[in-house]
Amino acid sequence: MKAISESEAKAASGAALPGAAMEPAVRLEHEGRIGWIVLNRPGQINAINDEIRRGVPQALAKLDADPAIGVIVIRGEGDRGFCAGADIKERRGDETSLQVRRRMERARWIEALDSTEKPVIAAIHGYCMGGGMELALACDIRFASPDATFALPETGLGLIPGGGGTQRLPRLVGHGTAMDLLLTGERMSAAQARDIGLLTRIASANDQLLAEVRALATRIAARPPMATAFAKQAARAASRVDLKSGLDLELELFSLLAPMQDVREAAQAFSEKRAPKFSGH
């Protein structure tokens, strides 16, 4: 894969040409039970700007509240990548630590994923760097094309990841591996990312990513929605609570599901050798 040069990065962060149609930086698409959130700045390799910081949480909230949607997928528009990180043209001038802290507190947009009840899949191709990788880390499933490249390069710029990278990465891949990646800023291939547990799946080919993500999302969306939501809730709690508290939550959620109509429907459909029809009740 061709590396991003300094001149390309500067060009990527440039303003739109005069008279060019301005499209939203975040686009929503509906496809059956799948809701797609599209990072839509392909000319900038979907670099994160304030419109994306506002648009992604708004899109998540809208899709999470829609009973017709079973699974949410986040992808990047264009050929070059999922997201190249923060848009360099939005770098602020001289700020005090207090000013930076206040600005960052207002922009904790990736944390919207932590309160999203429906499963979220990151469909990753090409560059997935910095804040783009932090966005992917916050998703439930990370599905990448073979050409995907990952890195958290912030320490080389005199910074650290500010969108959850120092916290989510160790929880996914372990402390030692996370320290190696954070301190070196080295790039990883999709195969390397899968080997360390960062990725869930890799597509069979670059041009098959969206089709295979769509198939996976369709399978998940066809399952009983409350069971899916409760499984996500219990698994996410595992990183926040002690084992006994986690087991208590698991038992509570299991007990709430057991009397539901969808449990009876699943058993009846199995005995009748037909496809189940789940209602979410």
Side-chain angles (χ1 to χ4, degrees):
M1 175 181 291
K2 183 181 177 183
I4 304 176
S5 68
E6 182 178 355
S7 61
E8 285 177 312
K10 289 180 179 178
S13 65
L17 292 174
M22 296 297 293
E23 294 190 4
V26 177
R27 189 174 73 241
L28 270 180
E29 298 174 348
H30 295 76
E31 183 181 6
R33 297 264 298 152
I34 307 171
W36 297 80
I37 298 176
V38 184
L39 306 181
N40 188 35
R41 304 185 72 215
Q44 296 78 31
I45 320 178
N46 302 310
I48 300 162
N49 63 357
D50 283 340
E51 192 177 351
I52 284 180
R53 294 184 186 98
R54 291 188 300 267
V56 169
Q58 291 170 359
L60 285 167
K62 184 174 182 179
L63 294 174
D64 208 29
D66 187 346
I69 297 298
V71 175
I72 300 168
V73 180
I74 302 177
R75 71 173 181 87
E77 189 64 271
D79 296 333
R80 297 201 62 197
F82 174 75
C83 177
D87 192 331
I88 61 172
K89 81 172 186 295
E90 286 200 337
R91 288 183 181 171
R92 277 68 175 180
D94 293 336
E95 290 181 307
T96 67
S97 292
L98 180 58
Q99 289 171 325
V100 172
R101 174 60 185 262
R102 287 174 175 170
R103 173 168 57 79
M104 294 293 285
E105 282 287 354
R106 293 193 299 269
R108 295 173 69 161
W109 62 286
I110 292 176
E111 292 178 43
L113 283 153
D114 296 333
S115 57
T116 302
E117 295 183 358
K118 291 173 181 173
V120 182
I121 302 173
I124 305 161
H125 73 290
Y127 293 108
C128 183
M129 317 285 278
M133 180 168 160
E134 290 178 295
L135 175 60
L137 289 173
C139 295
D140 300 309
I141 295 174
R142 283 158 296 282
F143 201 141
S145 60
D147 72 342
T149 300
F150 301 84
L152 291 173
E154 285 85 351
T155 54
L157 304 172
L159 298 168
I160 64 172
T166 65
Q167 301 304 301
R168 291 190 174 94
L169 186 61
R171 286 169 167 79
L172 279 173
V173 305
H175 177 79
T177 300
M179 287 299 297
D180 188 310
L181 295 171
L182 289 165
L183 298 181
T184 65
E186 291 180 353
R187 297 185 180 190
M188 288 180 293
S189 66
Q192 290 170 322
R194 181 178 57 186
D195 288 345
I196 66 172
L198 175 64
L199 285 182
T200 308
R201 298 170 184 245
I202 298 179
S204 59
N206 294 333
D207 61 0
Q208 292 301 304
L209 173 65
L210 294 186
E212 293 178 17
V213 168
R214 182 180 295 108
L216 174 63
T218 299
R219 291 198 303 274
I220 295 173
R223 302 173 76 84
M226 290 303 296
T228 297
F230 281 9
K232 173 174 175 172
Q233 181 181 342
R236 286 237 162 174
S239 65
R240 303 192 306 267
V241 304
D242 61 85
L243 178 59
K244 177 62 167 60
S245 298
L247 292 172
D248 290 344
L249 174 61
E250 180 184 82
L251 179 58
E252 178 184 357
L253 295 175
F254 183 94
S255 301
L256 291 172
L257 287 169
M260 287 190 172
Q261 174 61 37
D262 278 350
V263 176
R264 294 192 291 273
E265 169 63 12
Q268 187 172 350
F270 178 79
S271 65
E272 295 173 359
K273 298 181 180 179
R274 60 172 174 81
K277 297 179 180 179
F278 297 120
S279 65
H281 300 97

